[in-house]
Amino acid sequence: AQSVTQPDIHITVSEGASLELRCNYSYGATPYLFWYVQSPGQGLQLLLKYFSGDTLVQGIKGFEAEFKRSQSSFNLRKPSVHWSDAAEYFCALTQGGSEKLVFGKGTKLTVNP
Amino acid sequence: EAQVTQNPRYLITVTGKKLTVTCSQNMNHEYMSWYRQDPGLGLRQIYYSMNVEVTDKGDVPEGYKVSRKEKRNFPLILESPSPNQTSLYFCASSPGRMNTEAFFGQGTRLTVV
């Protein structure tokens, strides 16, 4: 069965520092991959998605992610973190033919001033 | 404004007292689903609906019911809530044509005492 692993439960970075959140997936074919962000008390908002084509995808709020088939990874990056980026981040996938999202357990990001 | 609306946002109830959490979307989406979010477990799908009168179980359907009588509405019903159903619940919708973004509601925090 397909699965998503986010190895880091909690990450703390300083404002202005770079950020990389890890995501690994298990799936027989190429999945459709997503990163969602959940701010405190809010629902989930889509940051970016990968379906095919260019393996480096750009999203909202200055985020990007790179799909690496050889490593079964879809890591999220941002060159300079802002205090407003503090939130929980979820990596997710769907398999071809399905709308069902399979989520990782999330990574909570804390940003220090 | 395109949105998914859940009500109520917060609910405290007692064991065994039937309740309904409503979900409505204004985007004419075909696919709707319910997730529950628990600490350390991420989001897990409860039920989903591919279209009016078409529903199916997700990963954790026990203790829940749903209905899809109209395209825009997808209520979640707990016939006899128990404390292990204390959780944060999210409704989501998507066009249902794959390669598309899921839109999430703001969430309903349910406590069963």
Side-chain angles (χ1 to χ4, degrees):
Chain A
Q2 65 271 28
S3 66
V4 177
T5 301
Q6 293 180 248
D8 304 304
I9 297 172
H10 192 182
I11 284 183
T12 299
V13 299
S14 298
E15 192 168 16
S18 64
L19 172 70
E20 182 169 29
L21 301 182
R22 297 183 291 165
C23 172
N24 293 97
Y25 67 89
S26 173
Y27 181 59
T30 300
Y32 304 133
L33 293 159
F34 307 81
W35 274 99
Y36 282 86
V37 60
Q38 183 182 25
S39 298
Q42 301 296 313
L44 280 78
Q45 181 183 21
L46 181 70
L47 284 176
L48 47 78
K49 59 189 176 186
Y50 172 78
F51 295 138
S52 63
D54 193 346
T55 56
L56 184 63
V57 294
Q58 303 296 321
I60 62 171
K61 304 185 181 187
F63 285 92
E64 67 178 25
E66 186 171 13
F67 171 65
K68 293 186 177 180
R69 185 192 306 275
S70 62
Q71 298 176 20
S72 298
S73 69
F74 188 56
N75 294 348
L76 182 71
R77 301 194 294 248
K78 186 169 184 178
S80 178
V81 170
H82 188 261
W83 64 266
S84 61
D85 293 324
E88 190 156 20
Y89 292 80
F90 292 93
C91 183
L93 65 77
T94 60
Q95 63 185 69
S98 171
E99 294 286 325
K100 175 185 173 182
L101 281 161
V102 176
F103 285 91
K105 295 182 179 180
T107 298
K108 184 176 181 180
L109 175 65
T110 297
V111 180
N112 287 333
Chain B
E1 180 189 356
Q3 60 185 2
V4 178
T5 303
Q6 293 178 228
N7 281 296
R9 292 288 311 277
Y10 302 92
L11 179 61
I12 301 174
T13 191
V14 296
T15 298
K17 185 177 181 182
K18 180 179 179 180
L19 66 91
T20 299
V21 183
T22 64
C23 174
S24 180
Q25 50 95 3
N26 62 0
M27 295 166 280
N28 200 37
H29 285 170
E30 292 182 355
Y31 185 90
M32 296 185 73
S33 58
W34 278 100
Y35 295 85
R36 62 177 287 174
Q37 182 181 15
D38 301 290
L41 296 178
L43 286 89
R44 296 175 292 168
Q45 191 183 57
I46 303 170
Y47 266 95
Y48 66 95
S49 169
M50 300 292 285
N51 213 324
V52 176
E53 302 292 1
V54 180
T55 64
D56 207 348
K57 297 177 181 178
D59 297 318
V60 288
E62 294 77 21
Y64 304 95
K65 285 176 56 178
V66 293
S67 68
R68 188 92 180 272
K69 294 183 171 57
E70 305 167 280
K71 199 170 189 178
R72 63 182 291 125
N73 296 323
F74 189 46
L76 179 69
I77 304 156
L78 285 72
E79 294 270 3
S80 182
S82 62
N84 65 11
Q85 293 178 296
T86 293
S87 187
L88 180 58
Y89 292 86
F90 287 101
C91 179
S93 75
S94 59
R97 294 187 298 274
M98 300 185 292
N99 299 357
T100 55
E101 173 184 356
F103 291 81
F104 283 80
Q106 294 282 76
T108 296
R109 184 165 293 282
L110 172 66
T111 301
V112 184
V113 298

